[in-house]
Amino acid sequence: VAADVIASARHDMLANHPAAAKLLEIVKLNVVDVSLQIVRQDAGEDVGALVTEWIANNQAQVDAWIAEALAAG
């Protein structure tokens, strides 16, 4: 899908950091959330504040991703 966000990393980094590799594998961002963040960023909102707000609004999912990634590494 054209709207997919695809992460990339060096193979040696992924091999040396399995938790990070797992995190990159499992995190799936909603295209609507990404689009809204881009619009707000383009309107001049602070990126750090936007990230903090998104994490707060999605804390359960973020915590689940982190727990799964840590279990892998």
Side-chain angles (χ1 to χ4, degrees):
V1 177
D4 285 348
V5 175
I6 300 171
S8 64
R10 292 172 36 141
H11 292 287
D12 60 331
M13 191 283 298
L14 297 174
N16 291 328
H17 303 282
K22 185 65 172 179
L23 190 63
L24 290 174
E25 174 188 328
I26 62 175
V27 169
K28 303 293 183 223
L29 299 175
N30 178 299
V31 68
V32 173
D33 285 349
V34 172
S35 295
L36 290 172
Q37 296 299 318
I38 291 170
V39 168
R40 292 176 66 188
Q41 184 178 345
D42 286 348
E45 291 191 51
D46 177 68
V47 174
L50 292 172
V51 170
T52 299
E53 178 185 304
W54 187 90
I55 291 171
N57 290 337
N58 296 277
Q59 192 67 61
Q61 181 61 64
V62 172
D63 291 344
W65 286 332
I66 291 171
E68 186 175 344
L70 290 174

